Structure formats: structure tokens, C-alpha cells
Amino acid sequence: MISFSEKLNEENETDIGFIEQPVSERMRTFLRLEFLYYPMLKNIEKNDEWSTRISISFLLEIQSILSRGDVRNDLLNELDQHIYNFERFETHSDVDNSRLTNLIMKLTLTRSKISNIGPGYLSPLKDNVFLNLIKHRSSIPGGTCEFDLPEYNYWLKQPLLRRQEDLNKWTKPIKILCEGVSEVLWLIRESAQPIEVKAIKGMYQYTMQRNNNFRLLRLKLEGESNLFPEISGNQHRFTVRFLEWSTVESRAIQTTDDVPFQLTIC
């Protein structure tokens, strides 16, 4: 059976055209982690030095994001809410109880793994002298070149299996959490169906009903287009403006055409 993370990764590769906008700080953090996590894993598998550099860079960025707030506790709260919501359907006669039970068990297992890593799960990364040296020098333009960090550059020339062994050890503390984020994002994305709407003269506005707790917007334009959306708002209302892109030398301007698009409010 395909895992949540595999499903999410598959969606990232095949759902080209979907544009997402978080409307809460928690969702912003989750999407940023997802943005870094899968490229990090893919580059770990590649044998060239620059791919390994990218993996290290993304690992340090993930560490920085996780160090700013209590992402672990936020994720536990999200999982608790999803488990509670699914358990409410257990008595419904029109629900596939086998699939529902399997889903609840998967979420409960994920919650247990995240709880078990404890609040100090980042300590192995924070206390790693080698990674801290790279992190410190990375703040300087070109600061990780060979004459600045000879130890790092020597390690980069080690066989792939040796580098992978180290990278897998360093990423282990964050993998459980990032996989949990993937599960939650998958559930949120699957929680709503897209609707067909139209931006009149490039502008679309929407006001949410009271007590509607949405967290993520997904937009999709059909076919080829030189338009892209600029989204602003919060959990109560939002505005979408479609801008026409021409070149990097000129600023995009709002289109005067009506723009049909798919909108998913998750």
C-alpha cells in the first residue's frame, strides 16, 4: 500500500499547475518543510559533490525552521484533530470501516513515533561540530569553498556510500517529523474537492462563512497560460489577482480578461 509520503511526493510531481497558498503560520511552516524535505532526500541519492552540498544546505535549512517554534507539538495537535474527526465516522453505516480503521491506525502510529522522539530530537544536529562549522561558514558568500573548509571538502570527496551513511544519520532525527508533516498535508489536500470559479477581469474575492476553519488554498489554471496568481488574505477572506507575465525586465500587471480556474479550499 502506498504511504502518505509516497502519495504526496507523487502528487508534487504530477499535479503540475497547482498553486498553493497557506493561510496560517502553521501551514506556512509545514509547506516550507515539504519544499525542502523531498529535494534533500533525492539529492542524497546522487553521487556528485554538488548534490551532496544541496542535501547539506537543505538539511541545515530544515533544522533552522524546526528550531524556531514547536513544530513537533503543532504536528501532534494536527494529528489529534484528524484522529478525532475520523473516529466520529466509525458509527456511520455508509463508511468503509476497514479503510477507516486502517487510516486511524496509521495516524495513531505516526503520532506515537513523533511523541516518542521527544522535545530534544534536534539535539544531535545542534551538537554536531562538523555541521555547525558548515552552518556558520554558509552565512558567508562562498564561505564553504575548499580553502575555507578543507575538512568539509575532503568529506565531499568520500565515496557515495560513506556520505550517505553520514547523511542518513544526520537526517534521522527529522525524518519522522517530516514524514508526519507529509501525512497531515496529504489529508488536508484530500479533504476538499475543487470547484470551478471565474476571476472577473483578473480579480476574485471570497469571504468565508463563520466558523469555517480552512488552512490551505489550491488553485489550478487549465492549459498553457502566461498568467500567475497573487493571493492575499487570511482565514476569513482572501483575494486572488491574476497577473500577466512578460519579461524579467518589466513588472507583471493584472489582466483585464476573465480567468476561469479551479479553486480548492482545504
Side-chain angles (χ1 to χ4, degrees):
M1 181 177 292
I2 189 169
S3 69
F4 284 108
S5 58
E6 290 169 336
K7 174 66 176 176
L8 181 56
N9 198 24
E10 178 183 304
E11 286 184 356
N12 286 341
E13 293 178 347
T14 60
D15 282 352
I16 297 173
F18 269 104
I19 299 162
E20 296 185 327
Q21 176 74 19
V23 294
S24 70
E25 192 58 37
R26 180 178 294 181
M27 286 300 106
R28 289 186 185 93
T29 299
F30 285 3
L31 288 175
R32 285 167 181 156
L33 288 171
E34 178 190 65
F35 173 76
L36 295 167
Y37 180 61
Y38 286 108
M40 179 191 73
L41 294 184
K42 287 183 178 180
N43 279 285
I44 287 176
E45 301 302 318
K46 298 178 182 179
N47 194 19
D48 62 286
E49 173 184 327
W50 292 105
S51 294
T52 302
R53 281 181 174 273
I54 291 171
S55 294
I56 291 290
S57 177
F58 285 0
L59 170 62
L60 294 176
E61 287 190 51
I62 290 173
Q63 179 189 345
S64 179
I65 291 173
L66 295 177
S67 298
R68 292 174 191 162
D70 195 352
V71 180
R72 173 177 167 273
N73 194 50
D74 286 343
L75 185 54
L76 289 172
N77 289 336
E78 283 284 342
L79 289 166
D80 285 339
Q81 186 62 51
H82 284 291
I83 292 170
Y84 170 75
N85 289 338
F86 284 122
E87 286 178 340
R88 294 168 60 191
F89 287 99
E90 287 183 310
T91 57
H92 290 214
S93 58
D94 57 345
V95 171
D96 186 335
N97 284 319
S98 176
R99 293 184 63 185
L100 181 61
T101 300
N102 187 45
L103 178 57
I104 293 172
M105 288 176 60
K106 284 178 175 293
L107 292 175
T108 303
L109 178 60
T110 297
R111 193 202 184 285
S112 177
K113 289 180 179 178
I114 294 169
S115 179
N116 289 339
I117 63 175
Y121 68 98
L122 286 177
S123 295
L125 292 178
K126 291 180 178 179
D127 297 338
N128 189 294
V129 176
F130 183 73
L131 291 177
N132 282 333
L133 187 60
I134 298 170
K135 183 177 181 180
H136 173 71
R137 297 297 304 181
S138 295
S139 63
I140 303 171
T144 61
C145 62
E146 188 166 7
F147 62 82
D148 278 318
L149 280 181
E151 183 179 359
Y152 181 35
N153 284 272
Y154 176 82
W155 177 81
L156 287 169
K157 292 177 174 59
Q158 297 305 299
L160 176 62
L161 290 178
R162 171 57 199 273
R163 282 178 281 146
Q164 286 179 331
E165 180 182 345
D166 290 332
L167 283 162
N168 289 330
K169 179 177 64 177
W170 296 333
T171 57
K172 184 178 180 180
I174 65 170
K175 273 189 174 181
I176 293 174
L177 191 137
C178 287
E179 293 290 336
V181 167
S182 296
E183 293 187 20
V184 166
L185 286 174
W186 185 86
L187 288 169
I188 291 172
R189 287 169 174 140
E190 293 293 308
S191 67
Q193 294 296 319
I195 57 175
E196 300 290 339
V197 296
K198 183 179 292 186
I200 306 301
K201 293 185 178 180
M203 173 79 76
Y204 180 83
Q205 293 180 309
Y206 191 94
T207 300
M208 298 300 300
Q209 297 179 356
R210 187 171 295 179
N211 299 325
N212 194 320
N213 183 30
F214 84 101
R215 291 165 288 182
L216 183 66
L217 300 174
R218 305 188 81 203
L219 281 67
K220 186 174 184 180
L221 284 166
E222 297 296 338
E224 296 293 328
S225 174
N226 67 332
L227 301 176
F228 65 92
E230 181 182 77
I231 308 169
S232 60
N234 51 43
Q235 290 178 307
H236 305 293
R237 64 184 61 85
F238 62 88
T239 299
V240 181
R241 296 172 60 232
F242 284 96
L243 306 180
E244 294 181 353
W245 187 89
S246 54
T247 68
V248 293
E249 282 78 27
S250 59
R251 295 193 63 179
I253 59 173
Q254 183 175 321
T255 182
T256 56
D257 297 330
D258 294 346
V259 183
F261 66 100
Q262 286 187 2
L263 172 66
T264 310
I265 304 174
C266 307

